[in-house]
């Protein structure tokens, strides 16, 4: 059992290092949620926005549809735009590894998304090819995408401020 644990740790370490390099090289980072955001995608996007902001990055959050009323309890929900950004260096998709959850986004903005590196962070086992994802952090054993973002931030020693931790 020990070698498989070490192999898993080594694979995660490589993925984390790749993600760190992509984030380090980017200035403006698009945080993309599913067409219909839910609590995990909203909390993950808002928490990641805080973390990336503390790293000196310019995070932009996008979702094709506006947030449902119940998601507006999250401070910052109003920063999730329905206007697709004109310029960004990297995309991080949160809580979606399936194109069926991004039908409208891909139909309207798939060409732009495919021009830049993209990372998907998800805990669902419903991964399907999107044609533009360059790196994947998918763990069906994680309780949420938010949990994976915390693990990633801790592994890379990224700061998690109080607002990020709350989200």
């Amino acid at each position: 059992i020990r070698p498989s644990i070490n192999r898993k740790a080594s694979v995660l370490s490589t993925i984390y290092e790749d993600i760190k390099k992509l984030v380090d090289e980017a200035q403006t980072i698009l945080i993309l949620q599913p067409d219909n955001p839910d609590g995990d995608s909203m909390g993950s996007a808002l928490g990641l926005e805080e973390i990336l902001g503390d790293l000196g990055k310019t995070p932009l959050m996008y979702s094709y549809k506006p947030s449902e009323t119940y998601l507006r309890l999250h401070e910052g929900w109003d920063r999730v735009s329905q206007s697709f950004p004109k310029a960004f260096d990297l995309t991080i998709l949160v809580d979606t590894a399936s194109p069926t959850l991004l039908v409208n986004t891909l139909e309207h903005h798939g060409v732009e998304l495919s021009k830049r590196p993209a990372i998907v962070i998800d805990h669902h086992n419903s991964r399907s090819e999107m044609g533009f994802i360059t790196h994947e952090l998918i763990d069906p054993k994680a309780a949420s995408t938010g949990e994976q973002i915390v693990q990633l931030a801790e592994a890379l020693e990224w700061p998690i401020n109080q607002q990020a931790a709350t989200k």
Side-chain angles (χ1 to χ4, degrees):
I1 294 176
R2 193 78 173 148
S4 65
I5 291 171
N6 287 339
R7 231 176 294 132
K8 181 179 179 185
S10 175
V11 168
L12 274 180
S13 176
T14 301
I15 292 167
Y16 288 169
E17 289 169 16
D18 290 347
I19 291 172
K20 180 181 183 331
K21 183 175 189 282
L22 287 169
V23 169
D24 286 349
E25 292 172 353
Q27 179 54 48
T28 303
I29 301 173
L30 173 62
I31 302 170
L32 180 61
Q33 294 184 63
D35 285 348
N36 293 304
D38 63 12
D40 187 20
S41 67
M42 179 64 75
S44 296
L46 291 168
L48 189 57
E49 176 197 37
E50 288 285 338
I51 292 168
L52 294 173
D54 284 350
L55 292 173
K57 305 302 176 180
T58 304
L60 306 172
M61 295 182 290
Y62 174 83
S63 179
Y64 185 80
K65 293 183 181 176
S67 302
E68 296 289 335
T69 305
Y70 77 96
L71 293 174
R72 295 178 185 176
L73 298 173
H74 290 280
E75 183 279 321
W77 69 269
D78 53 338
R79 292 191 301 273
V80 179
S81 178
Q82 281 69 59
S83 296
F84 196 80
K86 296 191 184 310
F88 56 96
D89 307 310
L90 171 67
T91 302
I92 301 178
L93 292 87
V94 292
D95 201 36
T96 181
S98 172
T100 60
L101 299 175
L102 292 164
V103 171
N104 294 307
T105 299
L106 293 175
E107 180 181 324
H108 293 93
H109 308 293
V111 171
E112 282 305 306
L113 288 166
S114 68
K115 292 178 181 178
R116 295 161 190 85
I119 301 163
V120 63
I121 302 173
D122 195 6
H123 67 109
H124 297 103
N125 206 14
S126 58
R127 188 230 177 268
S128 298
E129 185 57 46
M130 282 193 235
F132 65 91
I133 302 301
T134 57
H135 293 77
E136 297 178 345
L137 182 55
I138 299 174
D139 183 2
K141 293 180 182 173
S144 66
T145 299
E147 175 185 347
Q148 291 177 271
I149 291 171
V150 168
Q151 291 171 351
L152 174 67
E154 288 176 343
L156 297 178
E157 298 180 353
W158 289 348
I160 302 175
N161 66 32
Q162 186 175 355
Q163 293 84 3
T166 300
K167 291 166 169 86

